[in-house]
Amino acid sequence: MFDFYGYGASSMRLKTGNRTVTALLLIAPFVICYLVVFAYPVYKMFAMSFTDAPLIGEGEWIGFDNYIRMFEHKLFYTSVYNTLYFVLLTVVPNTLIGLGIAMLIVRLKGWIQAGILVLFFMPYILPVTVVTQIWQWILDQQFGVVQPMIEDLIGRRISVFRDPVWAMPMVALVTIWWTNGFNVLLFISALRNIPDDYYEAASLDGASRLQKFRRITWPLLWPVTALVLTLQLIMQLKIFDQIYLMTQGGPFNSTYVLLQLVYREAFGRNQGGYASAVAVALFVIIVAVSILQYQLLKARGR
């Protein structure tokens, strides 16, 4: 009897050991990719920010000199302001527009719904270079199809990407048009998960459409709305492609953003250490703003 129980315990330990090995083998590819693709580059970024290293190669330890230089650099503050301005122009409007479009599309049926959804999602799959070419043609000062409307509104045609007042709002408009399809898909998925019984019960109680939205749709959509806002915030803080292709940071640095400053210092001036310090600042801003937004959204969702 003793041998029987001893054999059973050994067999159980062997099975547990096999499960542990299997689990480690399954998660090993992810852990290795995470360490190689994310953890190590982040460590090198922080380490380089304390040196005078070029983009490729080692440098001498200089302590906080890069950070002191960064806080004395006027273009850094301009880049922070422009980045936050772009976030203000895109995050909330993009989310609200996506919600509005989703609520309209979800009311449609069959092939009409599918066709319109494809039309709204199609820009999202386009590369940024194609998006840039499309909107540069649409907004061209001489031949752009939108310029007659601009002329009717303000009395003259404007080269919008060369005007310090118009440049950033236009880049924000292009970004919303380009990325909104993904938000629409998320909201449609959430709207379809709301049971029709809730709306039928509200109709029997005499609730209006606005009351249904305030009491049923909006509370049940809030988790997805919070997700969309968080994803949009992180994505828009990392704005670079559209700015680089449409305005190159101009005119007069009115669209110069943080990632463009990182690009200029690293690839244009071969100052990897200073570029790493700016990248660390952007990393801290993203983490701080994301945590702040998460806490605000969490408090709102209670």
Side-chain angles (χ1 to χ4, degrees), residues 26-197:
L26 289 174
I27 66 173
F30 170 78
V31 172
I32 293 172
C33 290
Y34 178 82
L35 292 175
V36 172
V37 176
F38 180 76
Y40 180 72
V42 169
Y43 160 74
K44 288 295 293 183
M45 177 184 71
F46 277 93
M48 283 183 64
S49 69
F50 295 101
T51 69
D52 60 356
L55 181 61
I56 299 176
E58 300 296 328
E60 299 292 331
W61 175 269
I62 58 173
F64 290 94
D65 287 358
N66 285 326
Y67 292 95
I68 295 172
R69 174 187 169 192
M70 180 180 68
F71 288 119
E72 293 176 347
H73 195 181
K74 183 179 179 180
L75 188 57
F76 170 74
Y77 294 101
T78 301
S79 302
V80 172
Y81 171 80
N82 289 335
T83 302
L84 296 179
Y85 179 43
F86 181 79
V87 167
L88 181 66
L89 290 173
T90 53
V91 173
V92 174
N94 205 357
T95 302
L96 294 179
I97 292 172
L99 174 59
I101 293 173
M103 293 186 66
L104 292 175
I105 292 177
V106 81
R107 296 175 181 273
L108 304 175
K109 301 296 181 182
W111 65 269
I112 298 178
Q113 183 188 72
I116 294 181
L117 182 58
V118 168
L119 289 178
F120 278 105
F121 186 74
M122 191 177 296
Y124 186 73
I125 65 177
L126 297 176
V128 65
T129 51
V130 175
V131 172
T132 300
Q133 289 297 320
I134 290 173
W135 280 92
Q136 284 180 339
W137 173 73
I138 291 174
L139 296 170
D140 183 82
Q141 187 174 7
Q142 291 184 342
F143 308 107
V145 295
V146 178
Q147 285 295 337
M149 289 185 287
I150 296 176
E151 189 174 9
D152 291 339
L153 288 174
I154 65 174
R156 62 187 178 90
R157 297 189 172 214
I158 296 177
S159 180
V160 293
F161 295 123
R162 297 181 180 178
D163 188 288
V165 176
W166 287 73
M168 187 64 85
M170 285 299 104
V171 175
L173 175 65
V174 173
T175 301
I176 291 173
W177 176 84
W178 180 32
T179 61
N180 194 252
F182 181 69
N183 299 340
V184 172
L185 280 183
L186 291 178
F187 280 122
I188 286 178
S189 177
L191 286 167
R192 286 176 175 173
N193 287 328
I194 300 177
D196 293 334
D197 297 344

